[in-house]
């Protein structure tokens, strides 16, 4: 019975880690998409350029 309990605890831990990894990956992709959109609509200007985005 102990081996089943250990197996289930390890499975729960693996599922929790996988869920966290998916959540963090989704956040990274959203951030990357936002920055790609922003940089596309507002190309980088030189520091001497006084006109903002």
């Amino acid at each position: 019975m102990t081996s089943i309990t250990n197996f289930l605890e390890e499975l729960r831990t693996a599922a929790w880690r996988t869920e966290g990894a998916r959540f963090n990956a989704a956040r990274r992709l959203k951030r990357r998409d936002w920055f790609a959109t922003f940089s596309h609509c507002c190309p980088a200007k030189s520091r001497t350029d006084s006109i903002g985005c």
Side-chain angles (χ1 to χ4, degrees):
M1 198 65 160
T2 303
S3 63
I4 293 173
T5 305
N6 288 341
F7 171 74
L8 292 175
E9 286 179 7
E10 289 174 10
L11 186 62
R12 180 175 52 187
T13 302
W16 180 78
R17 286 182 180 159
T18 302
E19 182 180 354
R22 286 183 185 148
F23 174 77
N24 289 332
R27 284 180 54 201
R28 282 193 306 273
L29 289 173
K30 285 179 188 177
R31 189 178 310 133
R32 185 171 67 179
D33 185 45
W34 186 87
F35 278 114
T37 301
F38 181 74
S39 65
H40 177 69
C41 78
C42 183
K45 304 274 186 187
S46 68
R47 291 184 184 244
T48 59
D49 194 0
S50 62
I51 299 174
C53 190

